[in-house]
Amino acid sequence: MDRPRYIWPDGKRSAACFSVDVDAEAPYLWANRAGLLPYLGQLEQRRFGPREGIWRILDMLDRVDVKGSFYVPSVVAELHPDLLPALCERGHEIGLHGHLHELVSETTDARFEAALDRSLQVFHAQTGIVPSGFRSPAWEMTPAMLAALKDRGLRYDSSLMGYDHPYQICGLVQVPVQWQIDDAIYFKFQGGGADRWPPEPARAVEAGWRDEFQAGRAFGQLFMITVHPWISGRAQRVAMLERLLADIVAYDDVWFATAAEIAAWHLSANEDRFVAEPGLEHLTAALEGGT
Amino acid sequence: MDRPRYIWPDGKRSAACFSVDVDAEAPYLWANRAGLLPYLGQLEQRRFGPREGIWRILDMLDRVDVKGSFYVPSVVAELHPDLLPALCERGHEIGLHGHLHELVSETTDARFEAALDRSLQVFHAQTGIVPSGFRSPAWEMTPAMLAALKDRGLRYDSSLMGYDHPYQICGLVQVPVQWQIDDAIYFKFQGGGADRWPPEPARAVEAGWRDEFQAGRAFGQLFMITVHPWISGRAQRVAMLERLLADIVAYDDVWFATAAEIAAWHLSANEDRFVAEPGLEHLTAALEGGT
Amino acid sequence: MDRPRYIWPDGKRSAACFSVDVDAEAPYLWANRAGLLPYLGQLEQRRFGPREGIWRILDMLDRVDVKGSFYVPSVVAELHPDLLPALCERGHEIGLHGHLHELVSETTDARFEAALDRSLQVFHAQTGIVPSGFRSPAWEMTPAMLAALKDRGLRYDSSLMGYDHPYQICGLVQVPVQWQIDDAIYFKFQGGGADRWPPEPARAVEAGWRDEFQAGRAFGQLFMITVHPWISGRAQRVAMLERLLADIVAYDDVWFATAAEIAAWHLSANEDRFVAEPGLEHLTAALEGGT
Amino acid sequence: MDRPRYIWPDGKRSAACFSVDVDAEAPYLWANRAGLLPYLGQLEQRRFGPREGIWRILDMLDRVDVKGSFYVPSVVAELHPDLLPALCERGHEIGLHGHLHELVSETTDARFEAALDRSLQVFHAQTGIVPSGFRSPAWEMTPAMLAALKDRGLRYDSSLMGYDHPYQICGLVQVPVQWQIDDAIYFKFQGGGADRWPPEPARAVEAGWRDEFQAGRAFGQLFMITVHPWISGRAQRVAMLERLLADIVAYDDVWFATAAEIAAWHLSANEDRFVAEPGLEHLTAALEGGT
């Protein structure tokens, strides 16, 4: 009954953020880093993102007057050098997402750090901006990687799910994600025999997202939507996002903000609250029976 | 037409129970018992349970005035020592669920028994209570494990599905579960490539559960809901459970009870009815052609 | 426009059949034919069929006044000797389904024939009846197995999908099945990590089945429902089947019959129509380029 | 805001095409090209296509007055020699689809070219027609295969997804497909343990396709439906397609055309627009860090 409740600015009841993982070719390059085969199927699917998808999403965001947080692997920024400048010009936040969309479970701390440094360099070179946030590919992190972000002056990470509002872990603000409100798990379909389920109609997903938003308002939740332009740039999905966002921004008691704004707010008003420990040593002790 | 019908107290037509498997970190520890890697993704998802999910569920249960049956691996009780006392204080049943959420198909009888003894010890040390029931991780059991429960004076197991009302097997009351009304099979999504289907919207699951409840009333069913705080503590799922439970408790002809109460009722009124045999020797003979 | 249309008796537009694969423990025994492990989870789930599910289905069929076709592995008949006699007494068709639910893809012609002979023997010993039909486990067949059925005087097989009305193949009537209207592919959930999707709510499946029935009426389809008592004996599924069947039997232009009646009709009125060839030699020639 | 928009003839807002991959036995032959086993299950399922499914679809297309684009592996044309002539007689486009439905990921450039030459020969022998388009099995292509099409004078390929309107790649018109509006990913169910999800009810898929069509109209999309007769020839699916197509053809601002007509339009009015590069060398350089 008297559990601590997250405090949002101006007495807002809850918050919402629209985040975009601009993966494009990067995950395909990572998966095929040992050498590209001459197939075009996956690549062309993914290129729908930078060619069409992201521009549809940007136009849609203009129509509903929302600023989003766009996480861009630096190889994508290099392959599409008009991208980061366009995002900045239109007023959106840009954040880091690795160089080649390096999967945490398949990379090393050293490679992670090299990708981080390279992406900081690319972002600065293309836009003059030093991003304040990182989103990990596939939403996995280690304490060492969180420390690497902190060492480079980043303010927040947005990859974990320990709360459904911001919190602190490894000395960094965590702006949490949620699988439930990620587009890829419902809509991604690649072909070639790798898929485990078919794409859902956008309206079925919308219904669940609306329920999560409404129920989350009561709990003071951060409603962190995540989409990918090559996936959600398809027609019915853009239309669904526009319906959903248009309704969310109409709520006076919900704070719609970028992840960077949310991280800044957390530092200003909740810094000492909701502090989590990685606690790996403690768990190892529990495994060994000492608890 | 004249098949035996299960008898519920006070002429009730059917029964309902709300059970909670408080897994938290335990299944992750079991899966990684050979040694933890430094990843935080799964752990933070699971920690949403003890941090937020379980308290939301407890508050919800207070609002609908329901007492549940909470099955807690003892390592979870040790990692979160405020948990078992809080459950008891709020009037809920606490039951055993292994120490490290040992999967029956991956453990031995000896390790099962050691975990059982340890968890009995932890429960008693933290609460002074000797639980009367056990629920197996992943809902698998052997005759030897059922015998181990009986040897330690436990009154019931809640892991099998041979009827949809209580019955007896291996000399112990079985308070049966049902995959259909378990939250994990619809909602659990872990990421990292292991998932085989995306999470369903809570309303779609609710519709199926309501139909099962209604149809089961006619058959004298025990409607045994099972949820996990790290999964169903998410906003729209708590809201769904509240809608569902609020409607179920309004039925005068449905007995809402804890599993311990249901097991006690079975012993008092149906003990000699619905007695099942494990029958493994008989089946082995059938396999060998002797039938 | 002038394609041949299947002819049903008395000017009926289409037909419907309710078939029941009474698998119970048999598929589990087949899968574990090398030796049973002491686990009870799967077995108890499956035993819900003979203990409860089949009787609920039989009572439901009485209420809607439908006679079904029940395919029973002979090991199930031996383990539950009251089963075949009860089915006969209530006026249903009984048909063969192997002895141990031998999967065609995992057995030999010789073992298939031995199982066939044994099951004919068990059926006759328990009921005095010589069944006229066979349904293969998992709906697979070879020409040699179809010939084995024919050699033993069986009149029909019900395992293939080359038309959606009866036809002839390998000199035997084929009363075709359809995955779309099989319960197991939507509802079966076994646990233990083997499942690839969660069970669907009965109403969602009902909607698709009703649409298939309605659209199939226009095409002269045989609407061949298949259910399994351990799966569809669960409460909401029995209720769904009752709603569906009650509506289907109300159509004057639909012939509701057992598979045996349908096979007999085919022989009397369509025997020389819709004759299919296995054509394996022809396809082998096509593969070798000779076409 | 001022992104280039695709131009459709006569001021149409968007376009639609109904394409049919007439796979029948071919993918089964390809998968078993090392030698057929005596099983009939898959074969009979697939033969439902040439026996019933395709004729139902052709009759349905006549009723809604739509001309489709039918892609036929030449082994299917050889096994069913009445097929190509019937398609031509009824006014539909016929296009290439390999000889044995050779999967791009499992074949070589040489075998691809041999299949291409053979299928051109079969099409010409059976109909006198030289097709203008190709659709690859499983929607995969390489630059070399696209060049092989071009070398043989084909005008378009329809296998990739880099835009949702026509474009040019490797010097050939690409009439793009979309997984979202393919029937197989929702409806195909083969049995035998290989399936990863159950078939969806036709109405659920219809709802998503209608939304995609409506939203795509606003974006100038080509709404490229793809169906397979052995899958979508089943009753409720034909009925769904008829409802959907009847509604789409009623839109005055949507151009319904065959893929060949769309490719011809692209060449006449958009040839220099939307030119994509395979760019494999560029990506390899990016992988090697040179970007």
Side-chain angles (χ1 to χ4, degrees):
Chain A
M1 299 296 198
D2 52 351
R3 304 273 308 165
R5 197 179 159 93
Y6 196 79
I7 300 166
W8 292 108
D10 304 325
K12 298 285 185 185
R13 207 170 161 195
S14 70
C17 179
F18 186 77
S19 71
V20 184
D21 290 2
V22 191
D23 289 352
E25 301 94 336
Y28 184 80
L29 295 179
W30 178 253
N32 293 281
R33 59 195 181 277
L36 285 182
L37 290 170
Y39 301 125
L40 295 174
Q42 297 285 329
L43 275 172
E44 285 292 292
Q45 281 192 65
R46 292 185 161 280
R47 282 158 166 169
F48 179 82
R51 287 183 193 146
E52 288 282 341
I54 197 166
W55 309 103
R56 290 181 184 177
I57 288 169
L58 287 169
D59 290 351
M60 179 275 291
L61 290 178
D62 283 354
R63 289 195 295 273
V64 295
D65 197 20
V66 160
K67 300 303 180 204
S69 297
F70 288 71
Y71 301 97
V72 185
S74 46
V75 77
V76 172
E78 290 177 327
L79 290 167
H80 308 278
D82 55 337
L83 194 59
L84 287 182
L87 292 172
C88 295
E89 195 191 332
R90 291 169 88 141
H92 300 289
E93 179 193 355
I94 53 173
L96 304 180
H97 199 41
H99 177 64
L100 279 178
H101 199 267
E102 292 84 3
L103 289 183
V104 165
S105 58
E106 300 175 358
T107 197
T108 60
D109 287 355
R111 185 159 190 172
F112 178 87
E113 295 194 30
L116 198 58
D117 289 331
R118 177 158 184 180
S119 58
L120 277 165
Q121 192 180 17
V122 172
F123 272 56
H124 194 261
Q126 291 194 348
T127 67
I129 288 174
V130 180
S132 68
F134 175 83
R135 155 100 26 110
S136 78
W139 299 354
E140 181 61 270
M141 285 299 273
T142 67
M145 291 174 183
L146 289 166
L149 298 181
K150 195 174 156 71
D151 289 347
R152 282 153 184 82
L154 273 82
R155 182 174 280 184
Y156 77 89
D157 171 59
S158 177
S159 314
L160 300 175
M161 307 186 201
Y163 285 95
D164 58 4
H165 54 65
Y167 63 107
Q168 185 186 307
I169 187 165
C170 297
L172 213 65
V173 181
Q174 183 59 232
V175 183
V177 291
Q178 256 207 69
W179 284 122
Q180 270 192 86
I181 41 180
D182 168 68
D183 68 339
I185 68 165
Y186 302 106
F187 296 144
K188 188 168 91 166
F189 193 88
Q190 300 189 278
D195 304 284
R196 296 191 185 172
W197 56 86
E200 301 210 15
R203 268 185 213 277
V205 172
E206 180 184 1
W209 288 11
R210 284 181 181 271
D211 271 352
E212 183 61 26
F213 169 71
Q214 287 296 350
R217 264 174 83 218
F219 288 113
Q221 184 192 71
L222 168 63
F223 186 71
M224 168 63 84
I225 304 170
T226 302
V227 304
H228 300 73
W230 74 276
I231 298 169
S232 285
R234 295 282 172 184
Q236 68 170 305
R237 295 167 191 162
V238 179
M240 178 276 264
L241 291 172
E242 183 161 359
R243 285 193 302 270
L244 179 70
L245 293 184
D247 286 357
I248 290 179
V249 295
Y251 282 87
D252 285 338
D253 57 359
V254 176
W255 184 42
F256 214 120
T258 63
E261 291 166 336
I262 290 165
W265 164 257
H266 185 79
L267 285 172
S268 73
N270 290 280
E271 187 173 8
D272 301 329
R273 308 178 70 216
F274 306 103
V275 180
E277 296 299 329
L280 295 170
E281 303 79 7
H282 192 49
L283 291 172
T284 297
L287 262 182
E288 286 162 3
T291 327
Chain B
M1 297 297 200
D2 52 351
R3 305 272 309 164
R5 197 180 160 92
Y6 196 80
I7 300 166
W8 292 108
D10 302 325
K12 298 286 185 183
R13 208 171 160 193
S14 70
C17 179
F18 186 76
S19 71
V20 184
D21 290 1
V22 190
D23 289 353
E25 300 94 337
Y28 184 80
L29 294 179
W30 178 253
N32 294 281
R33 58 195 181 278
L36 285 181
L37 291 169
Y39 301 126
L40 295 174
Q42 297 285 329
L43 274 173
E44 284 292 293
Q45 281 192 65
R46 290 184 163 282
R47 281 158 165 168
F48 179 82
R51 286 182 193 148
E52 288 282 340
I54 198 166
W55 310 104
R56 290 181 184 177
I57 287 170
L58 287 169
D59 290 351
M60 180 275 291
L61 290 178
D62 284 352
R63 290 194 295 272
V64 296
D65 196 18
V66 160
K67 301 305 179 201
S69 297
F70 289 71
Y71 302 97
V72 185
S74 47
V75 77
V76 172
E78 289 177 327
L79 289 167
H80 308 278
D82 55 339
L83 193 57
L84 287 182
L87 293 172
C88 295
E89 194 190 332
R90 291 168 89 140
H92 300 289
E93 180 194 353
I94 54 173
L96 304 181
H97 199 41
H99 177 64
L100 279 178
H101 199 266
E102 293 84 3
L103 289 183
V104 165
S105 58
E106 301 174 359
T107 196
T108 60
D109 287 355
R111 185 158 190 173
F112 178 86
E113 295 193 30
L116 198 58
D117 289 332
R118 175 157 185 181
S119 57
L120 277 165
Q121 190 181 20
V122 171
F123 272 56
H124 193 260
Q126 291 194 349
T127 68
I129 287 175
V130 180
S132 67
F134 174 82
R135 154 108 15 117
S136 78
W139 297 355
E140 181 62 270
M141 283 301 271
T142 67
M145 290 173 184
L146 289 166
L149 298 182
K150 195 173 156 71
D151 288 349
R152 281 155 185 82
L154 273 81
R155 181 174 283 186
Y156 77 89
D157 172 58
S158 178
S159 314
L160 299 175
M161 308 186 200
Y163 284 94
D164 58 3
H165 55 64
Y167 63 108
Q168 184 185 307
I169 189 165
C170 298
L172 213 64
V173 181
Q174 183 59 232
V175 183
V177 291
Q178 256 207 71
W179 283 122
Q180 271 193 85
I181 39 179
D182 168 68
D183 67 339
I185 69 166
Y186 302 105
F187 296 144
K188 188 168 92 166
F189 193 88
Q190 299 189 278
D195 303 284
R196 297 192 185 172
W197 55 86
E200 301 209 16
R203 268 186 212 277
V205 172
E206 180 184 1
W209 289 10
R210 284 180 181 272
D211 271 352
E212 182 62 25
F213 169 71
Q214 288 296 350
R217 264 174 83 217
F219 288 112
Q221 184 191 72
L222 168 63
F223 186 71
M224 169 62 84
I225 305 169
T226 302
V227 305
H228 301 73
W230 73 277
I231 297 169
S232 284
R234 295 284 173 182
Q236 68 170 307
R237 295 167 192 163
V238 178
M240 178 275 264
L241 291 172
E242 183 161 0
R243 285 194 301 270
L244 179 71
L245 292 185
D247 286 358
I248 289 178
V249 296
Y251 282 87
D252 284 339
D253 58 359
V254 177
W255 183 41
F256 214 121
T258 64
E261 290 165 336
I262 290 166
W265 165 256
H266 185 79
L267 285 172
S268 73
N270 291 279
E271 187 172 10
D272 300 329
R273 306 178 71 216
F274 307 104
V275 179
E277 296 299 327
L280 294 170
E281 303 79 8
H282 191 49
L283 292 172
T284 296
L287 261 183
E288 285 161 5
T291 327
Chain C
M1 297 296 199
D2 53 352
R3 306 272 309 163
R5 197 178 159 94
Y6 196 80
I7 300 167
W8 292 108
D10 302 324
K12 299 286 185 183
R13 210 172 161 192
S14 70
C17 179
F18 186 77
S19 71
V20 184
D21 290 1
V22 191
D23 289 354
E25 300 94 336
Y28 184 80
L29 294 180
W30 178 254
N32 293 282
R33 58 194 180 278
L36 287 181
L37 291 170
Y39 301 126
L40 295 174
Q42 297 283 331
L43 275 173
E44 284 292 292
Q45 281 192 66
R46 290 183 163 280
R47 282 161 166 167
F48 179 81
R51 285 181 195 149
E52 288 282 339
I54 198 165
W55 309 104
R56 288 181 185 177
I57 288 171
L58 286 169
D59 290 350
M60 180 274 291
L61 290 178
D62 284 351
R63 289 193 296 270
V64 294
D65 197 18
V66 160
K67 301 301 178 202
S69 297
F70 288 72
Y71 302 97
V72 185
S74 47
V75 75
V76 172
E78 289 177 329
L79 290 167
H80 307 278
D82 56 337
L83 193 58
L84 288 182
L87 293 171
C88 295
E89 194 190 333
R90 292 168 89 142
H92 300 288
E93 180 194 354
I94 53 173
L96 305 180
H97 199 41
H99 176 64
L100 278 178
H101 200 266
E102 292 84 3
L103 289 183
V104 166
S105 59
E106 300 174 0
T107 196
T108 61
D109 287 355
R111 184 158 190 173
F112 177 86
E113 296 194 29
L116 198 56
D117 289 331
R118 175 158 186 180
S119 58
L120 277 164
Q121 192 180 18
V122 170
F123 273 56
H124 193 260
Q126 290 194 348
T127 67
I129 288 174
V130 180
S132 68
F134 175 82
R135 156 103 22 110
S136 78
W139 298 353
E140 181 62 270
M141 283 301 271
T142 68
M145 289 173 184
L146 289 167
L149 298 181
K150 195 172 155 70
D151 288 348
R152 282 156 185 79
L154 272 82
R155 182 174 279 184
Y156 77 89
D157 171 58
S158 178
S159 313
L160 298 174
M161 307 186 201
Y163 285 95
D164 58 4
H165 54 65
Y167 64 107
Q168 185 185 305
I169 188 164
C170 298
L172 212 64
V173 181
Q174 183 58 232
V175 183
V177 291
Q178 256 207 69
W179 284 121
Q180 270 193 85
I181 40 179
D182 167 68
D183 67 339
I185 68 167
Y186 302 106
F187 296 143
K188 187 168 92 168
F189 192 89
Q190 299 189 278
D195 304 283
R196 297 190 184 172
W197 55 85
E200 301 210 15
R203 267 185 213 277
V205 172
E206 180 184 2
W209 288 11
R210 285 179 180 272
D211 271 352
E212 183 62 25
F213 169 72
Q214 288 296 350
R217 264 174 81 218
F219 289 113
Q221 185 192 73
L222 168 62
F223 185 72
M224 170 63 84
I225 305 170
T226 303
V227 305
H228 301 72
W230 74 276
I231 298 169
S232 284
R234 295 283 173 183
Q236 68 170 304
R237 295 167 192 162
V238 178
M240 179 274 263
L241 292 171
E242 184 161 358
R243 285 193 302 268
L244 179 71
L245 292 184
D247 285 357
I248 290 179
V249 295
Y251 282 87
D252 283 338
D253 58 358
V254 176
W255 183 42
F256 213 119
T258 64
E261 290 166 337
I262 290 166
W265 164 256
H266 185 79
L267 285 173
S268 72
N270 291 279
E271 186 172 10
D272 300 329
R273 308 177 70 215
F274 307 105
V275 178
E277 297 298 329
L280 295 170
E281 303 77 8
H282 191 49
L283 292 172
T284 296
L287 261 182
E288 284 160 6
T291 326
Chain D
M1 298 299 200
D2 52 352
R3 305 274 306 165
R5 196 180 161 93
Y6 196 80
I7 301 167
W8 291 107
D10 303 325
K12 299 285 186 185
R13 209 172 161 192
S14 70
C17 179
F18 185 77
S19 71
V20 184
D21 291 2
V22 190
D23 289 353
E25 301 94 336
Y28 183 81
L29 294 179
W30 177 254
N32 294 281
R33 59 194 180 278
L36 286 182
L37 291 171
Y39 300 126
L40 295 174
Q42 296 285 328
L43 275 173
E44 284 292 293
Q45 281 192 66
R46 291 184 162 279
R47 282 160 166 168
F48 180 81
R51 285 183 195 147
E52 288 282 340
I54 197 166
W55 309 104
R56 289 181 185 176
I57 288 170
L58 286 169
D59 290 350
M60 180 275 291
L61 290 178
D62 284 353
R63 288 195 295 272
V64 296
D65 197 19
V66 160
K67 301 302 180 204
S69 298
F70 288 71
Y71 302 97
V72 184
S74 46
V75 76
V76 172
E78 290 177 326
L79 289 168
H80 307 278
D82 56 337
L83 192 59
L84 287 182
L87 294 171
C88 295
E89 194 190 331
R90 293 169 88 140
H92 300 289
E93 179 194 356
I94 52 172
L96 304 180
H97 199 41
H99 176 65
L100 279 178
H101 200 266
E102 293 84 3
L103 289 183
V104 165
S105 59
E106 300 174 359
T107 196
T108 61
D109 287 355
R111 185 159 191 172
F112 179 87
E113 296 195 28
L116 199 56
D117 290 330
R118 174 157 187 180
S119 58
L120 278 164
Q121 192 179 18
V122 171
F123 272 57
H124 193 261
Q126 291 194 347
T127 68
I129 288 173
V130 180
S132 68
F134 175 83
R135 155 105 20 112
S136 77
W139 299 354
E140 181 60 273
M141 283 301 271
T142 68
M145 290 174 184
L146 289 166
L149 298 181
K150 195 173 156 72
D151 288 348
R152 282 155 185 80
L154 272 82
R155 184 174 278 183
Y156 77 90
D157 171 59
S158 178
S159 314
L160 299 174
M161 307 186 201
Y163 284 95
D164 58 3
H165 55 65
Y167 64 106
Q168 186 186 306
I169 186 163
C170 298
L172 212 65
V173 181
Q174 183 60 231
V175 184
V177 290
Q178 255 207 71
W179 284 122
Q180 269 193 88
I181 40 179
D182 167 67
D183 67 338
I185 69 166
Y186 303 107
F187 296 143
K188 188 168 92 168
F189 192 89
Q190 301 189 277
D195 303 284
R196 296 190 185 172
W197 56 85
E200 301 209 15
R203 268 185 212 278
V205 172
E206 180 183 2
W209 288 11
R210 284 180 181 272
D211 271 352
E212 183 61 26
F213 169 72
Q214 287 296 350
R217 265 173 81 218
F219 288 114
Q221 184 191 73
L222 169 62
F223 185 71
M224 169 64 84
I225 305 170
T226 302
V227 304
H228 301 73
W230 73 276
I231 297 168
S232 284
R234 294 283 172 185
Q236 68 170 306
R237 295 166 192 161
V238 179
M240 179 275 263
L241 292 171
E242 183 160 358
R243 285 193 303 267
L244 179 71
L245 292 184
D247 285 356
I248 290 179
V249 296
Y251 281 88
D252 284 339
D253 58 358
V254 176
W255 184 42
F256 214 119
T258 63
E261 290 167 337
I262 289 165
W265 164 256
H266 185 79
L267 284 172
S268 74
N270 290 280
E271 187 173 8
D272 302 329
R273 308 177 70 214
F274 305 104
V275 179
E277 297 298 330
L280 294 170
E281 304 78 7
H282 191 48
L283 292 172
T284 297
L287 261 183
E288 285 162 3
T291 325

